[in-house]
Amino acid sequence: MTTQREVNVHAKNDRSTFLSTLPAMQSDRTAALAIVGISAILFALAVPFAGKPLIQVPGFVASYQSALAVSNIITAVLLLSQFAVLRSRALLLLSTGYLFTAAAAMTHALTFPGLFAPAGLLGSGSQTTVWLYMIWHGGFPLFVLAYGWLKDGNGGNRIDGPAGRPIMLAVLGVVAAMVVIAWTVTAQHDLLPILLRDGRYTTTMIGVVSFVWSLSFAALITLWFRKPHTVIDVWLMVTMCAWLFDIALSAIVNVARYDLGFYVGRLYGLFAASFVLAVLLIENVRLQAQTMSLVGRLREQSASERDYYGKRLALYKSVVESSNDAIITESLDGVITGWNRAAERLFGYSAAEAVGQSIQLIVPQERRAEARGILNSISANETIDQHETVRIRKDGRELDVMLNVSPLRSDGGEIIGASKITHDITEEKQSREKLRRETEERQRIFETSQDLILVTDGFGNFIQVSPSVKDILGFSPDDMIGHSATEFIHPDDLERTRQEMRAARHGHIKRSFEARYYHYDGHEVTLNWVGNWSEPVKRHFFIGRDLTDKQAAEAQFRQVQKMDSIGQLTGGVAHDFNNVLTVITGTIGILADAVADRPELAAITKLIDDAAERGAQLTKHLLAFARKQPLQPREIDVNALALEAAKLLHPTLGEQITILPQLTEDAWPALVDPGQLSTAILNLALNARDAMPDGGTLVLETRNIFLDDGYASMNPDVAAGNYVMIAVSDTGTGIPAALIERVFDPFFTTKEVGKGTGLGLSMVFGFVKQSGGHIKIYSEEGHGTSVKIYLPRSTGVQETEYEALQNVPIAGGNERILVVEDDALVRQYVMTQVKSLGYTALEAANAAEALVIIDADKDIDLLFTDVIMPGNMNGRQLADEAARRRPELKTLFTSGYTENAIVHHGRLDSGVLLLAKPYRKSELAKMLRTALAS
């Protein structure tokens, strides 16, 4: 940073401003008052002797008039020079008054008798000079009056435009006025009243003189009251006092020409003309002295400045050379003119190598237009700050740099080049980019995290909340930011959370704890929290994992374990009980034969046999729940079985219950024991009947269902895959939510004693699980119940091509494939995809071309053909003909239709593979491998 040096060019008592604007000081008033006082005393001494005749001295008049004219002209010139700067209208009028007085004095001298002619020049008469005297002495006060009214502390109203014009108009106005006045008092002499007769003043003269004297007095009073007073104002008042004494002595108290009053009055007039001139001349002399003093000081300072700037130049040079940033100067045409040591280190070129070369020496080819643009901007007087770009070193390595470019000016201010400060930001940019990536990654983690991320200040107010809060708590981030965490934490967990926050602030990092938060809808959500405290930013950072799914999975796992345990227990009990029943049922027959002739004992054996049969049924249900009953699965049509069950249920359920089948037409076959499935449907229907004592609707539904990995992850006993769903739904009373998880427990029932064993749903549960299926129950009190059984879809000989396609891994190969497609765009797409999978692809637009290729190329492994094609052969006919010529050639069809050429009665012909349009690359890859492996 440079320091601006200031030069004090003013004197201690600075009066260098114009006298017309410079405020009058007390010293000015004192000097003026002293002169007025002395003049008044002399005036008083001269008044008694004013009429005393003296010797006529015509030369006195000529000398007096000449001195008066010269004095007034010089005064007017000095005042006009001030006007040229200040443009004050008042000052112009005052200058004009002095010009008028000078002109009047010269005209008066020319017409005065005895000076240049006995009667005066210009055809003057006896009254000419006396009227000129009155006009002269009355005109100047008028100009002073005008000056007094127009002036102010700054010199009065301003005149716009060049000063020469108003000055010229003033001079011409004075000349014109004097011409008119001279013509009036000479050529029109006889029309004027007589003021002087026989050398004596007439009565008219007394009136005119009194009026002129009054004008002068009015001018004096005006100047006195028009404050503030400037130096000119003070000396004008002195002038007007002398002017009054002049008129009084030479035109009022005297008697005739050449008496004492005549001479003394004109001396007062000469003094009046000299006061302002003297002040102006004294001020000019003083200004000249100050100017000389100032020039001397400026010379001294110039020498000091040269020394100062020489030292600064050396300092600047030292700064430039010692700078860590490269400082380069160049001309506007791009030629390097300056190259400091940092530039040498940065770019590898020495100053001798760089100076005089084009700046393109260090500018990459693709950045040269940018470099020219920078110079154009500098030429337009622009400054370039913080501009990031790339430059190149001598060894060819590119550098990331930051440029600050400013115009370089000559002493005259003309832009002659550019000054560049170049800072290497290669490492800084790499660090910045690394930081940006890290910040972006962290922001991406923050925005995509499935866990809840919270940032709070030291008081627990939320600063940042991750978008995952919407899925976990139902709030948007804006709902929480700025609020205290206490508004969302369960009151019972609040103190624990505070303890963990205090522990984190005391340096215990990565604290793990559980706390419940309230969901937007009011229910509680348990989250496992890991917290940390950052001392530098005074922030708490928390990551919360929603435990809802985990808790549900754990509960379900416990339920599965419980059911497995109960199953093992009941299976063992049923097995042992079956052994007991085997003995009972085996021996009861022998006992019955032995007591056949005794009816009372035969009845007892019959009771024992019935009880054993009931026990056998009970153990059968227990074994079914324990998944240990013998099953005889086979492929069945679930729709047919459901319809048969519906027919059997009509008389069982009664007329008050409506049975409504809703069966999917293309329901998949299931591999299951039909008898057990019928029994399961019957048990579910009977439970539904009991839930509808006043009647209702029973819905039997079948549907094809795919249970995906997401569903399987929430149900540990389920494997993802295709299932046939059989649902039994009712419009009954429903099951309380608290009992839903217990309905499959053996011997659990909500029915009255004697109306159920509690093994019906247990048997269904065990049968479904033993069959590799899944069962789910949905119920709501007052709205009914729906039990859904998911049975695995049957596979094997009746497996469809679509199923086979799902099981083929996505992989390519190196076989040769002939693609037959009539649509050129589709054919091009297929060729590209087939080749991308690694195959060798051949193409044909129709069957005829395809047969030619088949005959010519014996290495073709697969025919991939469209079904519907123009010409004499469609795709199926082409495949048949190709198989006749090349029996080992395999075929894969594709079509947007399901034409009878390959499809009959809703099923594909045996051995026919079809890839339906449109298809993805993965589907194409799988189907190609399936066809090649068939």
Side-chain angles (χ1 to χ4, degrees), residues 737-757:
L739 303 179
I740 287 289
E741 295 184 357
R742 301 183 59 194
V743 294
F744 294 126
D745 293 354
F747 305 112
F748 175 79
T749 180
T750 58
K751 300 175 183 178
E752 298 176 7
V753 177
K755 291 190 176 181
T757 62

Side-chain angles (χ1 to χ4, degrees), residues 463-609:
I463 305 299
Q464 282 184 283
V465 179
S466 65
S468 57
V469 70
K470 187 67 176 178
D471 296 328
I472 297 174
L473 297 180
F475 294 97
S476 69
D478 291 338
D479 294 333
M480 300 179 69
I481 292 175
H483 292 267
S484 173
T486 58
E487 301 177 28
F488 303 91
I489 302 175
H490 193 284
D492 294 344
D493 297 335
L494 189 56
E495 184 57 33
R496 172 69 187 280
T497 302
R498 286 172 173 161
Q499 291 175 358
E500 294 297 336
M501 292 175 70
R502 285 193 290 268
R505 287 198 294 271
H506 285 86
H508 300 283
I509 62 173
K510 296 184 179 179
R511 304 277 292 184
S512 178
F513 62 97
E514 290 186 6
R516 289 165 292 173
Y517 274 57
Y518 284 112
H519 194 275
Y520 181 80
D521 60 16
H523 76 268
E524 300 170 7
V525 179
T526 303
L527 297 108
N528 180 264
W529 292 100
V530 176
N532 199 355
W533 167 257
S534 174
E535 183 63 29
V537 295
K538 306 295 183 184
R539 294 286 186 267
H540 283 286
F541 295 86
F542 296 99
I543 299 177
R545 176 154 295 178
D546 186 2
L547 298 180
T548 303
D549 292 342
K550 179 184 177 184
Q551 291 172 338
E554 289 175 348
Q556 190 171 29
F557 182 69
R558 288 193 296 269
Q559 177 69 11
V560 170
Q561 286 183 319
K562 182 189 75 171
M563 297 301 286
D564 286 343
S565 299
I566 294 174
Q568 292 177 7
L569 174 62
T570 55
V573 171
H575 181 270
D576 292 343
F577 193 44
N578 260 343
N579 292 337
V580 175
L581 289 176
T582 300
V583 175
I584 294 172
T585 55
T587 57
I588 196 62
I590 299 172
L591 182 59
D593 292 339
V595 296
D597 55 345
R598 298 178 65 182
E600 68 281 4
L601 295 177
I604 292 174
T605 57
K606 181 69 168 66
L607 288 174
I608 295 173
D609 186 54

Side-chain angles (χ1 to χ4, degrees), residues 773-824:
H774 173 59
I775 186 168
K776 198 76 173 177
I777 185 167
Y778 302 91
S779 184
E780 186 175 347
E781 284 190 272
H783 295 280
T785 302
S786 178
V787 181
K788 296 183 178 181
I789 297 172
Y790 298 89
L791 297 173
R793 181 181 178 184
S794 175
T795 57
V797 293
Q798 295 186 350
E799 180 181 57
T800 66
E801 282 71 16
Y802 178 77
E803 291 176 300
L805 178 63
Q806 302 307 311
N807 296 323
V808 174
I810 301 176
N814 54 10
E815 291 89 346
R816 297 174 69 82
I817 299 176
L818 173 60
V819 178
V820 185
E821 171 63 56
D822 60 290
D823 189 306

